[in-house]
Amino acid sequence: HFLSPFAYDSAIHSGMKEKFRVMPEPVEAFPTRDRVTARQTLGIDAKGKILGCMGMITAQKNVDRLIDAFLECKTSPDNRLLLVGRQDTVVTAKLDSLNPNQRDRIIELNRYVENETFLNAIVASDVVSIPYKNRGASSGILVRAIQVGKTVITDEGGLLGWQTRHFDLGATCN
């Protein structure tokens, strides 16, 4: 079982092609839900676009840089950044340093969330950001976002960047 296409390509080129098979990554099905219902369930206003970031909300995942980039964007004040998951101290300090106008554009669920809330957050988002820098592994968040047809934004490097470009899943950035 290869999670990385790079390892699979290496094995194929080493002459062991007949010893391996490609299998899709398993994804458990979940009940269909629409964006409006998902937002209502989370207590999020239906107007505006949402850029969602789920999972561990940490500086290691570059969420502090994502916050800066979101606030620098010239976009409608109705558009918001949704952060779902437990924050580290760096991200918490970053959010605490924002002025009230900036802070109003960020929705936080700063805690461990159960699967139902996690899935509602993905569906409620218009775009899902997975900002790991040069991540060498895939991401469950990426798989879930693809499952419900969301556009993603990932770092240009690593496996996530390759997957995003190779399968035309959204945009990559530095």
Side-chain angles (χ1 to χ4, degrees):
H1 179 73
F2 291 99
L3 291 178
S4 167
F6 307 127
Y8 178 75
D9 284 346
S10 178
I12 295 301
H13 290 97
S14 69
M16 299 188 295
K17 182 176 183 175
E18 61 281 344
K19 294 185 180 190
F20 300 101
R21 288 184 221 174
V22 176
M23 295 172 32
E25 190 167 344
V27 179
E28 70 181 80
F30 61 91
T32 338
R33 59 198 82 198
D34 65 275
R35 187 177 73 121
V36 173
T37 303
R39 286 187 180 191
Q40 286 173 342
T41 302
L42 295 171
I44 298 172
D45 191 343
K47 67 180 178 181
K49 303 283 185 191
I50 291 181
L51 172 61
C53 182
M54 298 82 189
M56 296 301 292
I57 305 299
T58 66
Q60 179 184 10
K61 193 174 176 178
N62 286 312
V63 175
D64 53 333
R65 292 181 64 207
L66 175 64
I67 293 166
D68 288 338
F70 177 78
L71 293 174
E72 288 174 16
C73 280
K74 304 291 186 236
T75 184
S76 167
D78 289 336
N79 296 341
R80 285 150 301 153
L81 175 62
L82 173 63
L83 303 176
V84 179
R86 193 176 314 272
Q87 298 169 4
D88 70 5
T89 56
V90 174
V91 172
T92 300
K94 168 61 115 184
L95 291 168
D96 288 345
S97 73
L98 300 177
N99 70 49
N101 289 337
Q102 293 171 318
R103 192 66 188 242
D104 286 347
R105 299 195 58 215
I106 299 174
I107 303 165
E108 303 172 62
L109 294 178
N110 181 11
R111 59 183 166 80
Y112 172 82
V113 295
E114 66 286 344
N115 198 38
E116 185 72 16
T117 301
F118 188 83
L119 296 173
N120 277 322
I122 292 173
V123 173
S125 299
D126 294 282
V127 176
V128 174
S129 176
I130 310 162
Y132 289 107
K133 185 91 173 143
N134 290 317
R135 184 174 168 95
S138 190
S139 162
I141 299 163
L142 178 73
V143 173
R144 290 292 191 186
I146 294 166
Q147 184 182 19
V148 296
K150 295 298 174 178
T151 298
V152 299
I153 299 174
T154 64
D155 181 70
E156 65 188 5
L159 181 58
L160 294 177
W162 180 88
Q163 289 171 320
T164 302
R165 286 186 307 279
H166 185 78
F167 298 110
D168 197 26
L169 304 175
T172 61
C173 59
N174 184 346

PDB file of all heavy atoms in Angstrom, residues 4-29:
ATOM      1  N   SER A   4       1.948   7.508  -1.032  1.00  0.00           N
ATOM      2  CA  SER A   4       2.622   8.524  -1.833  1.00  0.00           C
ATOM      3  C   SER A   4       2.817   8.029  -3.259  1.00  0.00           C
ATOM      4  O   SER A   4       3.363   6.948  -3.472  1.00  0.00           O
ATOM      5  CB  SER A   4       3.982   8.850  -1.221  1.00  0.00           C
ATOM      6  OG  SER A   4       4.761   9.596  -2.136  1.00  0.00           O
ATOM      7  N   PRO A   5       2.401   8.819  -4.245  1.00  0.00           N
ATOM      8  CA  PRO A   5       2.645   8.418  -5.633  1.00  0.00           C
ATOM      9  C   PRO A   5       4.133   8.421  -5.970  1.00  0.00           C
ATOM     10  O   PRO A   5       4.563   7.732  -6.871  1.00  0.00           O
ATOM     11  CB  PRO A   5       1.890   9.459  -6.459  1.00  0.00           C
ATOM     12  CG  PRO A   5       1.759  10.632  -5.561  1.00  0.00           C
ATOM     13  CD  PRO A   5       1.701  10.093  -4.162  1.00  0.00           C
ATOM     14  N   PHE A   6       4.936   9.177  -5.222  1.00  0.00           N
ATOM     15  CA  PHE A   6       6.370   9.227  -5.462  1.00  0.00           C
ATOM     16  C   PHE A   6       7.012   7.869  -5.140  1.00  0.00           C
ATOM     17  O   PHE A   6       7.845   7.371  -5.886  1.00  0.00           O
ATOM     18  CB  PHE A   6       7.023  10.332  -4.645  1.00  0.00           C
ATOM     19  CG  PHE A   6       6.363  11.680  -4.829  1.00  0.00           C
ATOM     20  CD1 PHE A   6       5.943  12.413  -3.747  1.00  0.00           C
ATOM     21  CD2 PHE A   6       6.151  12.212  -6.098  1.00  0.00           C
ATOM     22  CE1 PHE A   6       5.331  13.649  -3.909  1.00  0.00           C
ATOM     23  CE2 PHE A   6       5.541  13.448  -6.272  1.00  0.00           C
ATOM     24  CZ  PHE A   6       5.131  14.162  -5.175  1.00  0.00           C
ATOM     25  N   ALA A   7       6.605   7.259  -4.016  1.00  0.00           N
ATOM     26  CA  ALA A   7       7.124   5.941  -3.651  1.00  0.00           C
ATOM     27  C   ALA A   7       6.659   4.890  -4.654  1.00  0.00           C
ATOM     28  O   ALA A   7       7.419   3.997  -5.034  1.00  0.00           O
ATOM     29  CB  ALA A   7       6.674   5.568  -2.239  1.00  0.00           C
ATOM     30  N   TYR A   8       5.423   4.982  -5.105  1.00  0.00           N
ATOM     31  CA  TYR A   8       4.893   4.043  -6.091  1.00  0.00           C
ATOM     32  C   TYR A   8       5.680   4.153  -7.397  1.00  0.00           C
ATOM     33  O   TYR A   8       6.095   3.141  -7.965  1.00  0.00           O
ATOM     34  CB  TYR A   8       3.407   4.305  -6.327  1.00  0.00           C
ATOM     35  CG  TYR A   8       2.809   3.396  -7.378  1.00  0.00           C
ATOM     36  CD1 TYR A   8       2.547   2.060  -7.092  1.00  0.00           C
ATOM     37  CD2 TYR A   8       2.521   3.862  -8.652  1.00  0.00           C
ATOM     38  CE1 TYR A   8       2.007   1.215  -8.053  1.00  0.00           C
ATOM     39  CE2 TYR A   8       1.981   3.034  -9.617  1.00  0.00           C
ATOM     40  CZ  TYR A   8       1.729   1.711  -9.320  1.00  0.00           C
ATOM     41  OH  TYR A   8       1.204   0.880 -10.268  1.00  0.00           O
ATOM     42  N   ASP A   9       5.904   5.373  -7.874  1.00  0.00           N
ATOM     43  CA  ASP A   9       6.675   5.564  -9.102  1.00  0.00           C
ATOM     44  C   ASP A   9       8.078   4.983  -8.973  1.00  0.00           C
ATOM     45  O   ASP A   9       8.593   4.361  -9.897  1.00  0.00           O
ATOM     46  CB  ASP A   9       6.773   7.049  -9.465  1.00  0.00           C
ATOM     47  CG  ASP A   9       5.501   7.603 -10.065  1.00  0.00           C
ATOM     48  OD1 ASP A   9       4.620   6.800 -10.446  1.00  0.00           O
ATOM     49  OD2 ASP A   9       5.378   8.841 -10.137  1.00  0.00           O
ATOM     50  N   SER A  10       8.687   5.163  -7.825  1.00  0.00           N
ATOM     51  CA  SER A  10      10.022   4.621  -7.587  1.00  0.00           C
ATOM     52  C   SER A  10      10.010   3.092  -7.650  1.00  0.00           C
ATOM     53  O   SER A  10      10.893   2.475  -8.249  1.00  0.00           O
ATOM     54  CB  SER A  10      10.528   5.101  -6.225  1.00  0.00           C
ATOM     55  OG  SER A  10      11.794   4.561  -5.963  1.00  0.00           O
ATOM     56  N   ALA A  11       9.004   2.471  -7.034  1.00  0.00           N
ATOM     57  CA  ALA A  11       8.904   1.010  -7.051  1.00  0.00           C
ATOM     58  C   ALA A  11       8.672   0.504  -8.473  1.00  0.00           C
ATOM     59  O   ALA A  11       9.262  -0.501  -8.892  1.00  0.00           O
ATOM     60  CB  ALA A  11       7.768   0.554  -6.135  1.00  0.00           C
ATOM     61  N   ILE A  12       7.838   1.186  -9.231  1.00  0.00           N
ATOM     62  CA  ILE A  12       7.549   0.786 -10.615  1.00  0.00           C
ATOM     63  C   ILE A  12       8.812   0.861 -11.467  1.00  0.00           C
ATOM     64  O   ILE A  12       9.111  -0.041 -12.238  1.00  0.00           O
ATOM     65  CB  ILE A  12       6.436   1.686 -11.226  1.00  0.00           C
ATOM     66  CG1 ILE A  12       5.117   1.475 -10.488  1.00  0.00           C
ATOM     67  CG2 ILE A  12       6.280   1.441 -12.712  1.00  0.00           C
ATOM     68  CD1 ILE A  12       4.592   0.064 -10.513  1.00  0.00           C
ATOM     69  N   HIS A  13       9.573   1.934 -11.299  1.00  0.00           N
ATOM     70  CA  HIS A  13      10.781   2.114 -12.098  1.00  0.00           C
ATOM     71  C   HIS A  13      11.923   1.201 -11.669  1.00  0.00           C
ATOM     72  O   HIS A  13      12.901   1.071 -12.386  1.00  0.00           O
ATOM     73  CB  HIS A  13      11.206   3.583 -12.093  1.00  0.00           C
ATOM     74  CG  HIS A  13      10.273   4.449 -12.874  1.00  0.00           C
ATOM     75  ND1 HIS A  13       9.267   5.156 -12.280  1.00  0.00           N
ATOM     76  CD2 HIS A  13      10.164   4.679 -14.208  1.00  0.00           C
ATOM     77  CE1 HIS A  13       8.585   5.801 -13.205  1.00  0.00           C
ATOM     78  NE2 HIS A  13       9.099   5.525 -14.387  1.00  0.00           N
ATOM     79  N   SER A  14      11.794   0.561 -10.511  1.00  0.00           N
ATOM     80  CA  SER A  14      12.839  -0.367 -10.069  1.00  0.00           C
ATOM     81  C   SER A  14      12.601  -1.779 -10.603  1.00  0.00           C
ATOM     82  O   SER A  14      13.329  -2.697 -10.272  1.00  0.00           O
ATOM     83  CB  SER A  14      12.919  -0.385  -8.537  1.00  0.00           C
ATOM     84  OG  SER A  14      11.757  -1.005  -8.007  1.00  0.00           O
ATOM     85  N   GLY A  15      11.567  -1.961 -11.426  1.00  0.00           N
ATOM     86  CA  GLY A  15      11.318  -3.248 -12.048  1.00  0.00           C
ATOM     87  C   GLY A  15      10.382  -4.156 -11.268  1.00  0.00           C
ATOM     88  O   GLY A  15      10.272  -5.337 -11.560  1.00  0.00           O
ATOM     89  N   MET A  16       9.686  -3.637 -10.268  1.00  0.00           N
ATOM     90  CA  MET A  16       8.802  -4.472  -9.448  1.00  0.00           C
ATOM     91  C   MET A  16       7.327  -4.194  -9.747  1.00  0.00           C
ATOM     92  O   MET A  16       6.476  -4.418  -8.908  1.00  0.00           O
ATOM     93  CB  MET A  16       9.084  -4.216  -7.964  1.00  0.00           C
ATOM     94  CG  MET A  16      10.499  -4.564  -7.558  1.00  0.00           C
ATOM     95  SD  MET A  16      10.754  -4.465  -5.772  1.00  0.00           S
ATOM     96  CE  MET A  16      10.535  -2.753  -5.452  1.00  0.00           C
ATOM     97  N   LYS A  17       7.023  -3.757 -10.938  1.00  0.00           N
ATOM     98  CA  LYS A  17       5.669  -3.338 -11.290  1.00  0.00           C
ATOM     99  C   LYS A  17       4.618  -4.406 -11.006  1.00  0.00           C
ATOM    100  O   LYS A  17       3.541  -4.103 -10.480  1.00  0.00           O
ATOM    101  CB  LYS A  17       5.612  -2.939 -12.764  1.00  0.00           C
ATOM    102  CG  LYS A  17       4.271  -2.434 -13.211  1.00  0.00           C
ATOM    103  CD  LYS A  17       4.300  -1.976 -14.643  1.00  0.00           C
ATOM    104  CE  LYS A  17       2.946  -1.407 -15.021  1.00  0.00           C
ATOM    105  NZ  LYS A  17       2.937  -0.836 -16.338  1.00  0.00           N
ATOM    106  N   GLU A  18       4.895  -5.664 -11.320  1.00  0.00           N
ATOM    107  CA  GLU A  18       3.893  -6.720 -11.146  1.00  0.00           C
ATOM    108  C   GLU A  18       3.619  -7.057  -9.683  1.00  0.00           C
ATOM    109  O   GLU A  18       2.669  -7.757  -9.377  1.00  0.00           O
ATOM    110  CB  GLU A  18       4.294  -7.990 -11.916  1.00  0.00           C
ATOM    111  CG  GLU A  18       5.615  -8.601 -11.470  1.00  0.00           C
ATOM    112  CD  GLU A  18       6.844  -7.882 -12.039  1.00  0.00           C
ATOM    113  OE1 GLU A  18       6.732  -7.116 -13.001  1.00  0.00           O
ATOM    114  OE2 GLU A  18       7.917  -8.098 -11.486  1.00  0.00           O
ATOM    115  N   LYS A  19       4.384  -6.527  -8.752  1.00  0.00           N
ATOM    116  CA  LYS A  19       4.183  -6.829  -7.327  1.00  0.00           C
ATOM    117  C   LYS A  19       3.271  -5.820  -6.632  1.00  0.00           C
ATOM    118  O   LYS A  19       2.982  -5.977  -5.456  1.00  0.00           O
ATOM    119  CB  LYS A  19       5.534  -6.873  -6.606  1.00  0.00           C
ATOM    120  CG  LYS A  19       6.410  -8.019  -7.081  1.00  0.00           C
ATOM    121  CD  LYS A  19       7.654  -8.094  -6.276  1.00  0.00           C
ATOM    122  CE  LYS A  19       8.493  -9.259  -6.791  1.00  0.00           C
ATOM    123  NZ  LYS A  19       9.595  -9.535  -5.904  1.00  0.00           N
ATOM    124  N   PHE A  20       2.843  -4.778  -7.345  1.00  0.00           N
ATOM    125  CA  PHE A  20       2.063  -3.730  -6.721  1.00  0.00           C
ATOM    126  C   PHE A  20       0.781  -3.460  -7.500  1.00  0.00           C
ATOM    127  O   PHE A  20       0.728  -3.627  -8.707  1.00  0.00           O
ATOM    128  CB  PHE A  20       2.859  -2.423  -6.645  1.00  0.00           C
ATOM    129  CG  PHE A  20       4.121  -2.557  -5.860  1.00  0.00           C
ATOM    130  CD1 PHE A  20       5.332  -2.689  -6.500  1.00  0.00           C
ATOM    131  CD2 PHE A  20       4.084  -2.566  -4.475  1.00  0.00           C
ATOM    132  CE1 PHE A  20       6.505  -2.828  -5.772  1.00  0.00           C
ATOM    133  CE2 PHE A  20       5.245  -2.694  -3.747  1.00  0.00           C
ATOM    134  CZ  PHE A  20       6.465  -2.824  -4.402  1.00  0.00           C
ATOM    135  N   ARG A  21      -0.238  -3.018  -6.775  1.00  0.00           N
ATOM    136  CA  ARG A  21      -1.498  -2.592  -7.377  1.00  0.00           C
ATOM    137  C   ARG A  21      -1.889  -1.232  -6.794  1.00  0.00           C
ATOM    138  O   ARG A  21      -1.632  -0.962  -5.634  1.00  0.00           O
ATOM    139  CB  ARG A  21      -2.616  -3.572  -7.042  1.00  0.00           C
ATOM    140  CG  ARG A  21      -2.491  -4.854  -7.769  1.00  0.00           C
ATOM    141  CD  ARG A  21      -3.681  -5.710  -7.465  1.00  0.00           C
ATOM    142  NE  ARG A  21      -3.150  -7.055  -7.284  1.00  0.00           N
ATOM    143  CZ  ARG A  21      -3.845  -8.068  -6.890  1.00  0.00           C
ATOM    144  NH1 ARG A  21      -5.103  -7.925  -6.584  1.00  0.00           N
ATOM    145  NH2 ARG A  21      -3.307  -9.239  -6.785  1.00  0.00           N
ATOM    146  N   VAL A  22      -2.528  -0.445  -7.601  1.00  0.00           N
ATOM    147  CA  VAL A  22      -3.009   0.854  -7.139  1.00  0.00           C
ATOM    148  C   VAL A  22      -4.434   0.679  -6.629  1.00  0.00           C
ATOM    149  O   VAL A  22      -5.270   0.075  -7.286  1.00  0.00           O
ATOM    150  CB  VAL A  22      -2.979   1.894  -8.276  1.00  0.00           C
ATOM    151  CG1 VAL A  22      -3.560   3.212  -7.808  1.00  0.00           C
ATOM    152  CG2 VAL A  22      -1.572   2.074  -8.797  1.00  0.00           C
ATOM    153  N   MET A  23      -4.683   1.201  -5.426  1.00  0.00           N
ATOM    154  CA  MET A  23      -6.013   1.160  -4.821  1.00  0.00           C
ATOM    155  C   MET A  23      -6.374   2.561  -4.369  1.00  0.00           C
ATOM    156  O   MET A  23      -5.516   3.300  -3.900  1.00  0.00           O
ATOM    157  CB  MET A  23      -6.019   0.235  -3.600  1.00  0.00           C
ATOM    158  CG  MET A  23      -5.750  -1.204  -3.927  1.00  0.00           C
ATOM    159  SD  MET A  23      -5.536  -2.265  -2.465  1.00  0.00           S
ATOM    160  CE  MET A  23      -6.565  -1.571  -1.248  1.00  0.00           C
ATOM    161  N   PRO A  24      -7.639   2.946  -4.495  1.00  0.00           N
ATOM    162  CA  PRO A  24      -8.024   4.276  -4.011  1.00  0.00           C
ATOM    163  C   PRO A  24      -7.971   4.334  -2.491  1.00  0.00           C
ATOM    164  O   PRO A  24      -8.136   3.321  -1.810  1.00  0.00           O
ATOM    165  CB  PRO A  24      -9.460   4.435  -4.511  1.00  0.00           C
ATOM    166  CG  PRO A  24      -9.943   3.056  -4.745  1.00  0.00           C
ATOM    167  CD  PRO A  24      -8.744   2.209  -5.079  1.00  0.00           C
ATOM    168  N   GLU A  25      -7.713   5.530  -1.973  1.00  0.00           N
ATOM    169  CA  GLU A  25      -7.723   5.711  -0.523  1.00  0.00           C
ATOM    170  C   GLU A  25      -9.164   5.596  -0.035  1.00  0.00           C
ATOM    171  O   GLU A  25     -10.064   6.242  -0.573  1.00  0.00           O
ATOM    172  CB  GLU A  25      -7.156   7.086  -0.165  1.00  0.00           C
ATOM    173  CG  GLU A  25      -6.921   7.257   1.295  1.00  0.00           C
ATOM    174  CD  GLU A  25      -6.081   8.481   1.609  1.00  0.00           C
ATOM    175  OE1 GLU A  25      -5.430   9.033   0.716  1.00  0.00           O
ATOM    176  OE2 GLU A  25      -6.093   8.874   2.769  1.00  0.00           O
ATOM    177  N   PRO A  26      -9.408   4.753   0.959  1.00  0.00           N
ATOM    178  CA  PRO A  26     -10.790   4.570   1.417  1.00  0.00           C
ATOM    179  C   PRO A  26     -11.323   5.815   2.131  1.00  0.00           C
ATOM    180  O   PRO A  26     -10.612   6.462   2.886  1.00  0.00           O
ATOM    181  CB  PRO A  26     -10.699   3.395   2.390  1.00  0.00           C
ATOM    182  CG  PRO A  26      -9.280   3.381   2.840  1.00  0.00           C
ATOM    183  CD  PRO A  26      -8.459   3.947   1.715  1.00  0.00           C
ATOM    184  N   VAL A  27     -12.570   6.122   1.852  1.00  0.00           N
ATOM    185  CA  VAL A  27     -13.238   7.249   2.492  1.00  0.00           C
ATOM    186  C   VAL A  27     -14.624   6.779   2.894  1.00  0.00           C
ATOM    187  O   VAL A  27     -15.391   6.314   2.056  1.00  0.00           O
ATOM    188  CB  VAL A  27     -13.382   8.451   1.527  1.00  0.00           C
ATOM    189  CG1 VAL A  27     -14.098   9.599   2.199  1.00  0.00           C
ATOM    190  CG2 VAL A  27     -12.032   8.881   0.998  1.00  0.00           C
ATOM    191  N   GLU A  28     -14.930   6.864   4.184  1.00  0.00           N
ATOM    192  CA  GLU A  28     -16.262   6.446   4.599  1.00  0.00           C
ATOM    193  C   GLU A  28     -17.295   7.471   4.148  1.00  0.00           C
ATOM    194  O   GLU A  28     -17.038   8.668   4.150  1.00  0.00           O
ATOM    195  CB  GLU A  28     -16.326   6.231   6.110  1.00  0.00           C
ATOM    196  CG  GLU A  28     -16.238   7.493   6.925  1.00  0.00           C
ATOM    197  CD  GLU A  28     -16.291   7.238   8.416  1.00  0.00           C
ATOM    198  OE1 GLU A  28     -15.249   6.863   8.958  1.00  0.00           O
ATOM    199  OE2 GLU A  28     -17.368   7.427   9.003  1.00  0.00           O
ATOM    200  N   ALA A  29     -18.416   6.974   3.729  1.00  0.00           N
ATOM    201  CA  ALA A  29     -19.489   7.856   3.264  1.00  0.00           C
ATOM    202  C   ALA A  29     -20.156   8.535   4.452  1.00  0.00           C
ATOM    203  O   ALA A  29     -20.149   8.005   5.556  1.00  0.00           O
ATOM    204  CB  ALA A  29     -20.518   7.042   2.488  1.00  0.00           C
TER     205      ALA A  29
END
